[in-house]
Amino acid sequence: MDSTDRKLLSLLRENARMPVARLAKSLDVARGTVQNRLARMEADGTIVGYTVKLKPQVEEQTIRALMTVAVEGNRTDEVLRSLRGDPAVCALHTTNGRWDIVAELRADNLEAVDRVLGRIRLIDGISNTETSLLLSTHKF
């Protein structure tokens, strides 16, 4: 991957629907170059899909939270498998430091958040958790 690929990916992160002609103009390359690079990155698995980003305000009724998770011993993979199966878990990140995993959670109301937290805390291999509700988003 070279600097043109990285710039192309950066443009697509901002707007995955940007037309190829505009991508080419922004990168100062031919349309065919952009199309070939996209095809190559899709084929080699660098690009695994395209998605839609929603403003946080679109899902006003959704409560978002970050849960940090400490895992017992070497059970991180086992805990990650369990967390992946929970519909309230939107994203998972492994980290270094005090916490082993950060999970982004979503629920419709505080009672649902309480049920999610209780369910996650019962997963074998989790030794401790800490949860913070996300109140507002300042950069998207």
Side-chain angles (χ1 to χ4, degrees):
M1 185 177 306
D2 63 12
S3 65
T4 302
D5 285 340
R6 284 189 283 280
K7 290 175 188 173
L8 176 57
L9 292 173
S10 178
L11 290 169
L12 289 172
R13 281 189 193 104
E14 291 299 314
N15 180 3
R17 293 186 54 161
M18 187 178 293
V20 172
R22 190 157 22 134
L23 290 167
K25 184 176 182 176
S26 296
L27 297 169
D28 198 28
V29 298
R31 284 181 56 168
T33 300
V34 170
Q35 290 169 321
N36 290 337
R37 286 173 181 262
L38 287 173
R40 178 182 41 80
M41 287 191 281
E42 290 169 354
D44 71 14
T46 300
I47 296 175
V48 294
Y50 300 87
T51 189
V52 173
K53 293 190 304 187
L54 299 176
K55 293 189 302 186
Q57 297 82 358
V58 170
E59 297 180 302
E60 287 182 33
Q61 300 304 319
T62 301
I63 295 174
R64 299 175 305 137
L66 293 179
M67 174 185 260
T68 49
V69 178
V71 177
E72 298 170 353
N74 292 325
R75 299 180 73 182
T76 301
D77 289 340
E78 177 185 339
V79 171
L80 284 169
R81 275 192 299 278
S82 296
L83 289 170
R84 277 189 200 106
D86 194 299
V89 176
C90 300
L92 293 167
H93 309 275
T94 54
T95 63
N96 66 331
R98 178 177 176 202
W99 303 103
D100 301 299
I101 299 170
V102 176
E104 182 181 340
L105 310 175
R106 291 188 186 205
D108 292 332
N109 53 51
L110 289 174
E111 291 80 16
V113 171
D114 188 38
R115 287 191 300 275
V116 170
L117 299 182
R119 194 168 60 231
I120 289 174
R121 289 181 183 132
L122 292 175
I123 294 173
D124 283 339
I126 292 179
S127 62
N128 196 11
T129 66
E130 185 175 301
T131 304
S132 298
L133 296 178
L134 298 176
L135 302 176
S136 62
T137 300
H138 299 275
K139 181 179 178 185
F140 189 76

